Amino acid sequence: MTGWQITAAATVALVAVVTFYLGRRSATLHNAAQDFDMARRTVRSRRNAAAVSGEYLCAASFLGIAGAILTDGADAIWYPIGFTAGYLVLMLFVAAPLRRSGAYTLPDFVEGRLDSRGLRWFASLITVLIALLYMVPQLQGAQLAVTTLLPLPDWAGPAAVIGVVLVTVLGGGMRATTLAQAFHYWLKLFAIAVPTLVLCVVFIGSGGKGAAAGLADDAPPTLPQDTTVTVDTPVELQVSAPTTLYADGVVDGAPAMGEVLWSAEVRHEVAAGTTLRFDTGTPTPVVVGAPADNVEWLAPGGDTWDLFGTYSLLTALMLGTMGLPHILARFYTNPDGRAARRTTLHVVLLIGLFYLFPVLLGALSRLYVPQLLVTGETDAAVLLLPTSVLPGIGGQILATVIVAGVFSAFLAATSGLVYSVAGVVSADLMPERVRDFRVAAVLLALAALGLALLPRQADIAHSIAIAFALAASTFCPVLVLGIWWRGLTAKGAAAGMLVGGLTVLTALGLDIASDYTDVWAPMLVERPALVSVPAAFLVAVLVSLASRDTKSATVNTFMLRMHAPDRLGFVTDAAIPRYGRAEERVRLGHGQGRHRR
Amino acid sequence: MRPVRRATVERVPGTPSHLKGDLDQPTKPKRQRVVLGGPEGMPVPSLRSRMELAEQTSWGEMLIRDLINALLRWSTAFALITLVLLGGLPLLFWQQPDIASFTVVGVPIAWLILGVFVSPVLFALGVMYERLSERHEREFVDMIEN
């Protein structure tokens, strides 16, 4: 290990220790049951917004967006837009009523609104599926980060993340996470903003490398120096002009050793273990399907299916945010519906600010680390960019800062999910005898770890989008219809979730199958949301209308509670009789917790 | 309907902190002051309207139905604005590739719009919606109280 690799590893350890310390400290200072249980509900909107953002900004935001921009260019900017707009939709339709409903998780909401135990169980199952789909890319990101930077085996990164998460979740409480997650937001913002600004200054200072204009050329990106690339998984490449390179291994099914000339007309298959060497200034081959030259990369759009893909992605991201279990649980820490709305508004601001930077990093990486396009491991762009732009100690310091932010992203999202979903698992899905939060947390974390170690090459941003698509096709119809339409029945909700969920899971299955069998997967399979979400809504409405006579008996009271303004005081939390209202606790002197400072 | 006057129990302002140690014994009952009738203008929702809401009489149910419809109308209006603004962009860039490749100071306008200008617009929409919905809820509470 070189000196800076040790520094990077030490920084990651430091992030983990600070997270644990913040959790531990608040957990021991406030050891009362309510603090462990459900967090203090008087956390102020601004800190709560930072905590929501800290929990939300995951591997996809930190690594995935830049990687997607390196590959797809302008079309990938729809990722950050969708992530931000999701909170606007959440604010418009869900935030305040859901908070007033008193539901802590989606299964709670489903049971309260539709009065059905069976549906609660079904909703819990979907919650677990979404959480797993969301955690796996985090852990695969950890694997990528660790193997890119350190000479460690594949399992080391995911195992380290799961270990820290379990220690934090089992050792602290939910209240503890509010502070820790808010810390994670500011850490991540710092860790991406400072390196981005420094790299931009260096880039502009070096005369734009004389190459900024090159991005507008009708040519592929060129390699900035002599580059050697080792292909770990078999890959199919294309070039847009005849290209000379040196190969050592198996190319196009035949052993190759020495100089190779690739023509633009055919695709070139490179087997695993092959080493490719390029001279400075060689046009970069790209993975088949990605825009090959810079003009195509720079312009949004494409064919009709690309347009469909963009809309489908936007649908999934905008409507999926409201179904993410860790985000919903955090809204419960708002004192009332109005505060929930304000928190959401702050989140739009905070994450909108954050997303300026991955876009810049993605564009810079097209100039400095185009060799990632050869292996398709574009998610490593953010990690490798600093040392490529600034060789030497300066680049290493920036890379260390970025690594701290990246691990903060893995830890925050994973621990938030494990915490909020372990409760669901232990309450609804485990047999009575072994019902225990801790056991559930360990099971969940190990399941995610197991799935993450399966070999599968997919971009982080793409995998996360599937989790969003599942949330959008199952929970979004139930939430939106349940909050705004008295007519939704348990049968309608179940049918809607079933149709939406099965559509997305089928698409996911076909997508994975096409990865293994090399059959081209249509856009509909990669991004199913534009079909599955309307289908789920339609089925939920039709089945509800057909089963009109089975409407929940308590629907009127529940609607009143969700929509009556907070000041009328209809909100009844399970916690209020036990611990008193938030404002009373403040007045009586119990509420002067550390969150006030 | 005027606000109903009710007897309330107020806590006496706290003892200066340097004396607190001596006085804060659990055996001593805390001093309390009984005030007859709340101060004018305090937002105490009218009991009757509240009861009607809580029991969901036909009038109460209608009130809530109207409130929900009004809130939903606003939310839908904002969602439509967002949909037109965001949803129009891919179509625009797809239909008119020339607009997308137009550059400002060397940066293509598509990148500027998508990367920089969209999120402030989203935030502005959020601010407007927040103000509007808070005003709406205030008006509803005022209506219930009178």
Side-chain angles (χ1 to χ4, degrees), chain A residues 92 100 298 302 311 342 568, chain B residues 50 75 87 94 111 130 137:
Chain A
L92 293 180
R100 292 190 197 115
L298 203 58
Y311 280 120
R342 293 198 163 181
L568 294 176
Chain B
R50 257 199 108 246
S75 296
W94 183 71
W111 284 68
E130 197 219 6
E137 290 185 350

Side-chain angles (χ1 to χ4, degrees), chain A residues 209-361:
Chain A
K209 218 185 152 206
L215 279 182
D217 280 353
D218 190 7
T222 51
L223 290 159
Q225 66 261 324
D226 289 359
T227 311
T228 307
V229 175
T230 305
V231 176
D232 291 330
T233 42
V235 68
E236 213 178 347
L237 299 173
Q238 59 180 16
V239 290
S240 56
T243 305
T244 313
L245 62 143
Y246 309 91
D248 180 6
V250 180
V251 174
D252 289 334
M257 182 79 196
E259 197 171 304
V260 191
L261 179 68
W262 280 1
S263 79
E265 277 79 40
V266 291
R267 296 167 169 190
H268 305 277
E269 280 174 35
V270 181
T274 308
T275 307
L276 303 175
R277 194 162 57 77
F278 304 91
D279 285 336
T280 309
T282 310
T284 316
V286 299
V287 177
V288 168
D293 62 53
N294 280 334
V295 167
E296 204 185 328
W297 174 81
L298 203 58
D303 59 15
T304 323
W305 279 111
D306 287 337
L307 190 68
F308 171 89
T310 303
Y311 280 120
S312 203
L313 178 71
L314 265 179
T315 312
L317 301 185
M318 288 174 72
L319 302 179
T321 307
M322 67 178 74
L324 300 179
H326 55 314
I327 300 303
L328 287 190
R330 188 135 290 290
F331 271 89
Y332 194 68
T333 53
N334 291 301
D336 55 26
R338 185 166 149 262
R341 215 159 36 212
R342 293 198 163 181
T343 299
T344 328
L345 186 60
H346 281 301
V347 174
V348 173
L349 185 67
L350 291 178
I351 65 175
L353 180 67
F354 179 92
Y355 284 138
L356 285 175
F357 303 105
V359 176
L360 278 170
L361 286 178

Side-chain angles (χ1 to χ4, degrees), chain A residues 378-416:
Chain A
T378 45
D379 289 324
V382 171
L383 299 164
L384 295 177
L385 190 58
T387 41
S388 304
V389 180
L390 257 182
I393 186 82
Q396 293 177 358
I397 292 175
L398 293 183
T400 310
V401 172
I402 283 187
V403 167
V406 166
F407 269 86
S408 152
F410 303 147
L411 289 176
T414 315
S415 66

Side-chain angles (χ1 to χ4, degrees), chain B residues 42 53 78 81 88 98 102 108 112 114 119 123 125:
Chain B
M42 278 262 287
L53 280 182
F78 273 82
I81 297 173
D98 298 343
F102 183 77
L112 273 184
L114 298 180
S119 41
F123 181 66
L125 280 172

Side-chain angles (χ1 to χ4, degrees), chain B residues 101-121:
Chain B
S101 56
F102 183 77
T103 58
V104 180
V105 217
V107 183
I109 194 137
W111 284 68
L112 273 184
I113 294 178
L114 298 180
V116 182
F117 293 121
V118 165
S119 41
V121 171

Side-chain angles (χ1 to χ4, degrees), chain A residues 481-554:
Chain A
L481 293 174
I483 289 174
W484 296 102
W485 184 46
R486 280 162 208 263
L488 183 72
T489 63
K491 280 181 189 151
M497 287 202 284
L498 200 64
V499 167
L502 282 182
T503 314
V504 173
L505 291 179
T506 311
L508 174 66
L510 290 176
D511 196 20
I512 293 176
S514 89
D515 279 356
Y516 280 113
T517 56
D518 277 347
V519 180
W520 174 77
M523 191 57 96
L524 190 61
V525 166
E526 281 181 32
R527 295 178 176 174
L530 198 55
V531 173
S532 62
V533 176
F537 266 100
L538 193 69
V539 169
V541 169
L542 291 181
V543 175
S544 292
L545 288 177
S547 60
R548 223 169 309 172
D549 43 339
T550 61
K551 233 192 266 182
S552 156
T554 54

Side-chain angles (χ1 to χ4, degrees), chain A residues 53-313:
Chain A
S53 315
E55 206 155 336
Y56 184 67
L57 294 174
C58 61
S61 310
F62 221 106
L63 300 179
I65 291 176
I69 285 175
L70 170 58
T71 324
D72 293 332
D75 285 323
I77 315 181
W78 288 106
Y79 277 106
I81 292 178
F83 288 144
T84 317
Y87 280 93
L88 187 65
V89 178
L90 183 70
M91 177 182 177
L92 293 180
F93 291 105
V94 176
L98 184 71
R99 171 63 195 93
R100 292 190 197 115
S101 78
Y104 178 57
T105 60
L106 244 148
D108 284 350
F109 173 82
V110 166
E111 193 188 8
R113 167 70 178 78
L114 299 165
D115 208 11
S116 157
R117 287 289 302 173
L119 199 59
R120 181 189 173 102
W121 179 85
F122 186 43
S124 303
L125 197 68
I126 294 179
T127 307
V128 173
L129 273 178
I130 294 174
L132 286 177
L133 281 181
Y134 203 99
M135 277 195 277
V136 167
Q138 314 297 327
L139 299 177
Q140 286 177 338
Q143 179 180 335
L144 180 72
V146 166
T147 49
T148 306
L149 299 173
L150 301 172
L152 287 176
D154 278 353
W155 52 265
V161 168
I162 285 296
V164 175
V165 164
L166 280 181
V167 169
T168 317
V169 167
L170 299 180
M174 179 71 177
R175 153 88 185 99
T177 6
T178 303
L179 193 66
Q181 300 287 24
F183 158 77
H184 276 297
Y185 172 74
W186 296 109
L187 174 66
K188 277 181 271 196
L189 185 64
F190 173 82
I192 201 161
V194 171
T196 308
L197 294 177
V198 173
L199 292 179
C200 283
V201 167
V202 172
F203 170 69
I204 293 165
S206 65
K209 218 185 152 206
L215 279 182
D217 280 353
D218 190 7
T222 51
L223 290 159
Q225 66 261 324
D226 289 359
T227 311
T228 307
V229 175
T230 305
V231 176
D232 291 330
T233 42
V235 68
E236 213 178 347
L237 299 173
Q238 59 180 16
V239 290
S240 56
T243 305
T244 313
L245 62 143
Y246 309 91
D248 180 6
V250 180
V251 174
D252 289 334
M257 182 79 196
E259 197 171 304
V260 191
L261 179 68
W262 280 1
S263 79
E265 277 79 40
V266 291
R267 296 167 169 190
H268 305 277
E269 280 174 35
V270 181
T274 308
T275 307
L276 303 175
R277 194 162 57 77
F278 304 91
D279 285 336
T280 309
T282 310
T284 316
V286 299
V287 177
V288 168
D293 62 53
N294 280 334
V295 167
E296 204 185 328
W297 174 81
L298 203 58
D303 59 15
T304 323
W305 279 111
D306 287 337
L307 190 68
F308 171 89
T310 303
Y311 280 120
S312 203
L313 178 71

